[in-house]
Amino acid sequence: MPNAAVEKIRASLLRNNDEIEIHDLGAGSQQVSSKRTIADIAKKSLSPPALSLLYQHILQYNDARYIVELGTSMGINTLYLAQKKESKVFTFEGSSALTNIALTHFELLDTANIQLIEGNIDSTLPEFLQRTDKINFALLDANHRYEPTLRYFNLLVRRFNEKSIMVLDDIHWSEEMEKAWKILSRHELVYGSIDLYRCGILFFDPALNKQHFILSL
Ligand SMILES: C[S@@+](CC[C@H](N)C(=O)[O-])C[C@H]1O[C@@H](n2cnc3c(N)ncnc32)[C@H](O)[C@@H]1O
């Protein structure tokens, strides 16, 4: 069931026509800055409730305690990832306008198990991994380009164990993401994959014996 308190926040964001200035760190070296309404971001950039619920099921399935989300946006999906109080969610976001909004939501729902790491993931992720020894679940939903996706994958898997699970969002969104999914779903450390079209799930358990599925939600 969608979380009523979180969905109430989403509904208010969808009605909010205030504009904020966003630096798009996903645009490579060309720093693109643009003004967008909060409603537009809520409509186009957030995981829909069904996907957030799917992530919650995955966290339950592998009993994830250490969770990484690349791309916080306004923290709506993060609140779903943080449902289990004994888990710890590390969420990464480069836009300070968005981190301010996300932090307000975390406070509003009195969430104590989320740590928001602000800055460009290119530098914040390697720094974070130096002080972390395990990750059970990672959602890559920030820079949807080929090279950063592979780089983030290679960094994160060093902290994975065989029960860890990774989700890549928007795997068919662009040619670069198609290519990244094709390569990563056949990576030597990946023993199972599920292509759900909107996102792809990677498994690292050798017992899965290289099984790959394409499903429609
Ligand atoms: C699609 S949104 C995240 C949505 C969220 N995970 C959800 O499920 O609702 C992607 C976010 O990643 C952030 N982002 C993109 N590239 C980044 C980078 N290199 N460093 C930090 N944040 C980045 C953007 O600012 C944007 O807010």
Side-chain angles (χ1 to χ4, degrees):
M1 282 273 286
N3 181 305
V6 180
E7 290 311 315
K8 204 170 154 193
I9 298 176
R10 188 199 303 267
S12 76
L13 295 172
L14 285 164
R15 291 191 300 269
N16 188 335
N17 286 314
D18 291 351
E19 279 188 332
I20 55 172
E21 178 112 16
I22 305 277
H23 279 297
D24 185 357
L25 291 170
S29 55
Q30 297 164 312
Q31 289 265 313
V32 179
S33 204
S34 62
K35 280 196 171 172
R36 286 180 71 189
T37 65
I38 289 180
D40 184 59
I41 298 168
K43 197 170 155 198
K44 298 184 185 148
S45 304
L46 307 187
S47 296
L51 208 53
S52 296
L53 284 172
L54 172 72
Y55 301 152
Q56 254 188 13
H57 286 303
I58 296 174
L59 300 180
Q60 233 145 25
Y61 166 78
N62 78 338
D63 197 19
R65 293 185 86 85
Y66 299 97
I67 297 160
V68 164
E69 179 186 38
L70 302 186
T72 316
S73 190
M74 297 191 281
I76 297 299
N77 184 64
T78 322
L79 287 164
Y80 275 90
L81 298 179
Q83 285 303 299
K84 265 206 321 210
K85 301 285 170 256
E86 60 278 19
S87 67
K88 181 91 190 162
V89 180
F90 302 93
T91 184
F92 293 70
E93 176 56 56
S95 157
S96 54
L98 292 173
T99 58
N100 288 338
I101 295 172
L103 285 171
T104 317
H105 297 152
F106 303 157
E107 271 174 37
L108 194 68
L109 296 194
D110 210 11
T111 328
N113 59 337
I114 299 176
Q115 188 181 333
L116 201 162
I117 298 164
E118 187 179 327
N120 192 329
I121 294 164
D122 288 352
S123 48
T124 54
L125 183 62
E127 280 161 24
F128 164 76
L129 292 171
Q130 279 178 10
R131 47 177 207 277
T132 302
D133 59 0
K134 51 188 163 212
I135 297 170
N136 306 114
F137 175 89
L139 168 63
L140 275 64
D141 188 17
N143 193 342
H144 297 305
R145 307 283 293 265
Y146 173 75
E147 188 279 326
T149 301
L150 262 69
R151 183 156 35 90
Y152 301 159
F153 172 96
N154 284 317
L155 286 168
L156 288 161
V157 289
R158 292 186 203 156
R159 300 290 179 269
F160 271 27
N161 62 38
E162 57 186 33
K163 298 292 176 201
S164 298
I165 293 174
M166 183 182 290
V167 174
L168 305 187
D169 194 43
D170 282 327
I171 51 173
H172 299 293
W173 179 73
S174 64
E175 269 182 39
E176 289 199 33
M177 286 306 292
E178 290 275 3
K179 192 170 145 198
W181 172 250
K182 206 169 165 185
I183 289 187
L184 294 181
S185 57
R186 296 292 183 271
H187 190 280
E188 58 178 350
L189 292 175
V190 171
Y191 285 90
S193 72
I194 304 178
D195 174 345
L196 291 174
Y197 194 77
R198 161 75 195 246
C199 69
I201 309 174
L202 300 175
F203 299 88
F204 297 80
D205 187 347
L208 292 172
N209 207 14
K210 300 278 177 188
Q211 298 184 65
H212 302 283
F213 299 98
I214 300 175
L215 303 176
S216 54
L217 273 178

